[in-house]
């Protein structure tokens, strides 16, 4: 198992910036990639971006490309989501998730952290 704890959510105005953190514990040696997802009220959960743990390569959804940046701190198994030029449509609960070596899906999920962006 891998346990994940998100933090850094909050309330801010459009155009602002926020950095979310996700700390992993447990069987961290098995991490292949860590991803960020979000779910707005009344909508399906959607993919935001991901980072490969070993090489650090990233992938982003078109909706956040150029505004959001994913990074990682390998020494303490923490992944970050730097969010810039935030828009009201970015309002959602943000979740981090882990895919493990030998799997193709995200098996472990955090509790989520709320991000609210006002006009």
């Amino acid at each position: 198992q891998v346990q994940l704890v998100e933090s850094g959510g909050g309330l801010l105005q459009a155009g602002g910036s926020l950095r979310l953190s996700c700390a992993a514990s447990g069987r961290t040696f098995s991490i292949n990639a860590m991803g960020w997802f979000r779910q707005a009220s009344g909508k399906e959960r959607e993919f935001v971006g991901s980072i490969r743990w070993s090489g650090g390569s990233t992938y982003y959804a078109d909706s956040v490309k150029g505004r959001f940046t994913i990074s990682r701190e390998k020494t303490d198994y923490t992944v970050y989501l730097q969010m810039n030029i935030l828009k009201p449509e970015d309002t959602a609960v943000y979740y981090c998730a882990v895919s493990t070596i030998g799997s193709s899906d995200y098996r472990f999920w955090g509790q989520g952290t709320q991000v609210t962006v006002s006009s």
Side-chain angles (χ1 to χ4, degrees):
Q1 280 189 266
V2 178
Q3 294 81 43
L4 301 169
V5 179
E6 301 101 334
S7 62
L11 173 65
L12 71 166
Q13 289 188 299
S17 298
L18 202 62
R19 190 178 77 160
L20 306 183
S21 299
C22 176
S25 61
R27 297 175 70 250
T28 53
F29 62 88
S30 66
I31 295 174
N32 180 49
M34 295 184 71
W36 286 96
F37 296 77
R38 66 187 183 186
Q39 187 169 24
S41 180
K43 295 185 178 181
E44 299 263 312
R45 183 174 294 179
E46 66 173 334
F47 173 79
V48 174
S50 64
I51 186 166
R52 184 177 294 177
W53 199 251
S54 180
S57 59
T58 55
Y59 181 79
Y60 301 96
D62 288 342
S63 59
V64 305
K65 197 174 297 181
R67 297 188 298 122
F68 290 12
T69 302
I70 296 173
S71 61
R72 80 221 194 284
E73 187 64 55
K74 296 186 72 175
T75 55
D76 60 1
Y77 299 98
T78 301
V79 66
Y80 303 96
L81 180 64
Q82 178 66 49
M83 303 183 292
N84 299 321
I85 320 174
L86 281 161
K87 305 173 181 179
E89 49 263 46
D90 294 319
T91 295
V93 176
Y94 284 71
Y95 300 89
C96 68
V98 162
S99 67
T100 55
I101 297 169
S103 68
S104 59
D105 58 347
Y106 290 91
R107 298 177 60 191
F108 306 103
W109 295 78
Q111 295 290 325
T113 185
Q114 176 71 47
V115 174
T116 302
V117 184
S118 63
S119 300

